[in-house]
Amino acid sequence: MTASHSDSLVVLFGATAGAYGAKLGSDERELILLVWQVVDLHSKKVGTLHKSLVKADNLDLSEQCREVSGLTPEGLGKAEPLDRVLQQFSQLVSSDLKVLGRSSYTLCSDGQLLIRQVLHPETSKKNFLLSDCFYSFYDLRKEFHTCYPSSAAVKDQTIKTMAEYLGLGTDETEEDFGVWQVKTMVAIIFSMLSEGCNHAFTEPETVKYKYETGPCSKSETVDSETVIRARGLPWQSSDQDIARFFKGLNIAKGGVALCLNSQGRRNGEALVRFVNSEQRDLALERHKHHMGSRYIEVYKATGEEFLKIAGGTSNEVAQFLSKENQVIIRMRGLPFTATQEDVLGFLGPECPVTGGKEGLLFVKYPDGRPTGDAFVLFSCEEYAQNALKKHKEILGKRYIELFRSTAAEVQQVLNRYMSTPLIPTLPTPIIPVIPPAYTIATGSIRDCVRLRGLPYTAGIDDILEFMGDATGDIKPHGVHMVLNQQGRPSGDAFIQMKSADKAFMVAQKCHKKMMKDRYVEVFQCSGEEMNFVLMGGTLNRSGLSPPPCKLPCLSPPAYAAFQTAAVIPAEAAALYQPQALLPTTRTPQASAAAPPTVTYYPAQAAQLYMNYTAYYPSPPVSPTTVGYLAAPPGAVAAAATATHTPILPQPGALVRMQGLPYNTGMKEILSFFQGYQYAPDDYNGLIQLSDQARSVLQAPKEWVCL
């Protein structure tokens, strides 16, 4: 039996099959030795000193363990396993307490490693519970420093240095390994209890029984010295699994935040916040410890990173998460018409939701439309397990996915959807642009370079920084990022230099130079080779492979223009007109700090060309893409009165909409654009409309959306 102010101490010492001293427990090796003795704090008497070997599953001892302890695999093979040794420990301690006439006790160990980094993690992995006495203990090093403030810092203390400070004997060879340590610790405790010190053991260290969930507000202050990042987690792991990985360490309430990727799915990382920096430092020692068959990397993180993931500002979320010690389940794929009654009926009476409807939280867009996600609270693990058994069962006409979730994940998902603008902010008055007469080189002069192996997150600024002083030798519009068929970076880029000599110098200087965490290969090439790749062909050691069939296409909307690609039909070209301007009364003013460039169609441009890739310019010139650039009000007036003769005589503008609900019809789209004007029937030949849709567009309107 233990108590916060106990009348006895059980001095405890242990060793593992691996590291010893300050690295005890850092290598995940199992416990092989326990030595203990009961000390009566009032009468200053002691009980019998006990020493027990522990049979580990892996009897392969490290060299340091063999040298320090003198133990052998043969001797350990005859010992009892850890669960039986701990049972014997409880029985023998109770027996010694009866002899001394005491009833309560608290453990006292040399530092925190034995309790926090060895016993708790190992018993957690072996799936048996430690008795209550292992959740409260005295750290002899801290107690000694409190009693003797002039002694060495706590982190530098050892049993030997404490004994030397008090002038006690330090000959370890006189006793067996473990026995000398316990006897010396008892002598140190008696010195602290002497009349000159009268030290009182009143504030034990505690180990949390379980992880407590809870919300986190963005207004909180999180100390960066208490946060770590865990990487390599199984995707299905929950906050409780992570808390179990860090068993023995005290995680702050709501301190586990699972990270999500851009699709809202877990990416195998988590940020964990501990109660203090000491616990965080112990957590860092579990770098590459295992969760199941996977090793987990543990790194330092910052409080800002934690708040970015776990922090929230929604009162609705705070109220939902205010119910403590609840198991959270995430439901994904709900029908958009699903109600609270539908969800409760789907879960059934075998897994009642905490608070009924109050235990449900539907995730919605800012305009109130459902996303198909919801979070559910359950009061116990049994109900949550029953709910998880309904994974991929049918509700309506859709199967529903159910996963364990966390308070931080609730915040992340709500933050992600609620931060999505309902309608993006209207730009400044826009005029359609086409790049000036500028052609990509097609000759055999090797005045270009190819960058291969770029980080997928690399942008124009990264490439310019990578090029260094050679940036000034890049031609205008000379940086070309190569995208794959999904519109994502392929890791390649082409750069047009001012001469072949400049291209050669760049290839020599920058080849295999590092960009972020990757080295980039740089090759000199010709404009013809560059053009083939930009058109969708391939360039390898076997030579050039022609690009795929180039069909007229209007999607995606931002493609570069150059001379040897597929031609946009004449009727499509009619859509890109300077007269197609948004009403200025509904548009915010353009920033005067950096007014965009107004670009007009060149008189000699007879055709528009599309390509499979999107091009980006080298600053400060404007993009070589077919699209729209924001223009200041003065530029709009100039465009309207310009004497320049446009080559696209018909008015109109084409708008592409992404992310429409699957059941959206023409009427919903027209309602969305209410207040704007649609194009007349002039585009029926370009946009294939049904008779019903065409009749809807017969009213006097000047805009059409596709």
Side-chain angles (χ1 to χ4, degrees):
M1 180 179 178
T2 63
S4 58
H5 298 284
S6 55
D7 46 25
S8 300
L9 296 180
V10 175
V11 179
L12 184 67
F13 177 82
T16 68
Y20 174 72
K23 290 294 182 180
L24 183 70
S26 63
D27 52 5
E28 285 188 288
R29 298 304 303 272
E30 296 171 275
L31 191 72
I32 59 171
L33 174 68
L34 273 182
V35 185
W36 69 91
Q37 188 173 29
V38 177
V39 177
D40 188 336
L41 294 177
H42 298 286
S43 65
K44 298 182 182 179
K45 295 181 180 180
V46 297
T48 305
L49 191 148
H50 301 277
K51 178 178 179 179
S52 292
L53 298 180
V54 182
K55 183 179 180 180
D57 295 337
N58 181 6
L59 295 176
D60 183 18
L61 307 182
S62 68
E63 290 297 326
Q64 184 184 24
C65 177
R66 291 173 181 267
E67 180 181 350
V68 173
S69 68
L71 299 175
T72 62
E74 292 76 16
L76 294 174
K78 301 176 182 178
E80 296 287 347
L82 180 59
D83 55 345
R84 293 187 182 180
V85 170
L86 292 178
Q87 291 177 3
Q88 294 174 4
F89 169 84
S90 298
Q91 294 171 359
L92 292 173
V93 168
S94 298
S95 177
D96 290 342
L97 288 173
K98 289 181 180 179
V99 173
L100 295 172
R102 300 298 176 185
S103 58
S104 64
Y105 68 93
T106 303
L107 298 179
C108 180
S109 65
D110 170 34
Q112 308 206 18
L113 300 183
L114 176 62
I115 305 293
R116 295 190 185 276
Q117 298 286 68
V118 178
L119 281 169
H120 278 282
E122 184 174 341
T123 54
S124 177
K125 290 179 180 178
K126 293 182 177 180
N127 293 316
F128 61 87
L129 297 176
L130 283 171
S131 60
D132 292 344
C133 67
F134 291 98
Y135 288 86
S136 177
F137 67 97
Y138 288 106
D139 182 345
L140 183 59
R141 299 184 186 187
K142 289 185 177 181
E143 298 293 331
F144 185 84
H145 187 72
T146 301
C147 185
Y148 303 101
S150 61
S151 62
V154 173
K155 64 178 181 179
D156 299 324
Q157 297 278 20
T158 64
I159 297 176
K160 187 174 182 179
T161 59
M162 289 187 288
E164 290 176 346
Y165 184 86
L166 296 174
L168 303 177
T170 58
D171 188 1
E172 301 179 39
T173 60
E174 295 181 0
E175 303 285 354
D176 290 341
F177 177 72
V179 174
W180 178 87
Q181 282 80 358
V182 170
K183 286 185 175 181
T184 305
M185 290 169 68
V186 171
I188 293 171
I189 291 172
F190 284 156
S191 296
M192 295 167 61
L193 295 174
S194 63
E195 294 182 1
C197 297
N198 291 322
H199 181 74
F201 292 84
T202 57
E203 297 182 3
E205 301 286 322
T206 59
V207 180
K208 287 189 175 183
Y209 283 88
K210 63 179 181 178
Y211 167 67
E212 297 178 276
T213 61
C216 176
S217 172
K218 284 188 179 293
S219 61
E220 288 187 33
T221 300
V222 178
D223 185 359
S224 293
E225 296 299 316
T226 64
V227 183
I228 62 95
R229 179 183 294 271
R231 182 179 299 166
L233 299 166
W235 68 268
Q236 72 274 24
S237 58
S238 66
D239 54 352
Q240 297 295 338
D241 297 322
I242 296 171
R244 186 177 182 183
F245 175 81
F246 289 108
K247 183 68 174 177
L249 306 180
N250 293 340
I251 299 174
K253 182 177 180 179
V256 177
L258 293 166
C259 300
L260 306 180
N261 60 20
S262 56
Q263 287 76 42
R265 300 177 184 271
R266 296 173 186 171
N267 63 3
E269 295 188 7
L271 293 171
V272 185
R273 176 188 178 190
F274 293 90
V275 294
N276 54 43
S277 59
E278 180 184 33
Q279 303 290 305
R280 193 281 304 266
D281 293 340
L282 292 175
L284 291 173
E285 293 296 329
R286 300 196 187 185
H287 179 59
K288 291 194 174 181
H289 282 204
H290 288 77
M291 180 184 290
S293 60
R294 300 173 64 102
Y295 72 83
I296 308 301
E297 301 173 5
V298 182
Y299 304 100
K300 291 182 179 180
T302 66
E304 290 77 9
E305 290 176 309
F306 182 83
L307 286 177
K308 184 178 179 181
I309 298 299
T313 58
S314 171
N315 292 330
E316 183 183 13
V317 176
Q319 183 178 0
F320 176 76
L321 297 176
S322 63
K323 302 176 180 65
E324 298 182 357
N325 300 323
Q326 300 291 310
V327 183
I328 305 175
I329 298 296
R330 180 181 179 182
M331 303 180 70
R332 192 165 60 198
L334 291 169
F336 295 143
T337 57
T339 63
Q340 293 177 325
E341 290 76 9
D342 295 332
V343 174
L344 293 175
F346 172 81
L347 295 172
E350 63 273 17
C351 39
V353 177
T354 301
K357 294 181 181 181
E358 294 181 358
L360 295 175
L361 178 64
F362 286 92
V363 183
K364 299 180 180 180
Y365 289 106
D367 62 347
R369 291 182 296 115
T371 64
D373 279 27
F375 293 94
V376 189
L377 295 178
F378 295 99
S379 59
C380 65
E381 185 66 28
E382 179 184 358
Y383 295 158
Q385 288 290 347
N386 291 338
L388 291 173
K389 293 177 182 178
K390 297 180 179 292
H391 180 59
K392 291 195 174 182
E393 289 190 8
I394 303 297
L395 174 59
K397 295 182 179 180
R398 306 189 64 173
Y399 72 85
I400 310 301
E401 297 175 293
L402 290 94
F403 309 96
R404 287 183 175 274
S405 188
T406 67
E409 185 173 356
V410 176
Q411 297 280 22
Q412 284 185 81
V413 173
L414 266 294
N415 290 343
R416 184 185 305 274
Y417 282 111
M418 294 305 294
S419 62
T420 303
L422 176 60
I423 301 178
T425 304
L426 290 175
T428 56
I430 55 175
I431 59 174
V433 298
I434 190 171
Y438 176 78
T439 57
I440 293 179
T442 58
S444 59
I445 300 176
R446 299 175 66 79
D447 58 351
C448 305
V449 291
R450 179 185 185 184
L451 276 60
R452 186 170 67 185
L454 294 169
Y456 295 129
T457 58
I460 295 297
D461 292 339
D462 299 311
I463 293 178
L464 296 180
E465 182 180 354
F466 175 81
M467 297 284 290
D469 296 338
T471 302
D473 299 322
I474 300 175
K475 287 184 178 181
H477 299 265
V479 180
H480 307 277
M481 305 286 288
V482 182
L483 307 182
N484 59 23
Q485 293 181 352
Q486 287 74 40
R488 298 174 181 172
S490 64
D492 280 22
F494 284 92
I495 301 176
Q496 292 178 267
M497 309 301 295
K498 292 181 178 179
S499 67
D501 292 338
K502 299 294 185 183
F504 175 79
M505 293 296 293
V506 170
Q508 293 294 318
K509 181 180 178 180
C510 298
H511 184 57
K512 292 194 175 181
K513 182 179 173 182
M514 297 299 293
M515 181 186 294
K516 297 184 178 179
D517 58 346
R518 301 186 63 173
Y519 73 85
V520 179
E521 299 175 292
V522 183
F523 307 102
Q524 188 179 7
C525 65
S526 67
E528 180 182 11
E529 294 169 335
M530 178 183 70
N531 199 20
F532 263 80
V533 176
L534 294 179
M535 283 295 298
T538 57
L539 174 63
N540 50 42
R541 295 179 180 177
S542 303
L544 295 173
S545 300
C549 177
K550 300 179 286 297
L551 298 175
C553 179
L554 289 177
S555 178
Y559 291 103
F562 62 101
Q563 291 185 345
T564 56
V567 182
I568 296 181
E571 57 269 26
L575 297 176
Y576 298 92
Q577 262 297 324
Q579 291 86 350
L581 305 176
L582 283 177
T584 57
T585 56
R586 294 179 60 88
T587 309
Q589 296 296 321
S591 173
T597 304
V598 180
T599 309
Y600 301 97
Y601 293 115
Q604 67 271 26
Q607 293 175 324
L608 290 176
Y609 297 91
M610 307 291 285
N611 184 27
Y612 295 97
T613 58
Y615 299 155
Y616 298 87
S618 55
V621 296
S622 58
T624 60
T625 57
V626 176
Y628 295 100
L629 287 181
V636 176
T641 60
T643 57
H644 172 74
T645 303
I647 64 169
L648 301 175
Q650 301 178 3
L654 185 66
V655 178
R656 182 187 185 196
M657 301 178 66
Q658 291 181 316
L660 291 172
Y662 297 122
N663 57 354
T664 300
M666 181 64 69
K667 291 184 178 180
E668 286 80 7
I669 295 177
L670 296 180
S671 176
F672 181 82
F673 282 105
Q674 185 176 2
Y676 294 91
Q677 294 179 325
Y678 309 97
D681 206 28
D682 298 340
Y683 300 111
N684 289 351
L686 173 63
I687 306 172
Q688 301 299 321
L689 302 175
S690 64
D691 293 337
Q692 178 183 4
R694 184 176 290 106
S695 64
V696 176
L697 293 173
Q698 293 302 318
K701 300 161 185 171
E702 298 180 2
W703 277 65
V704 66
C705 56
L706 178 62

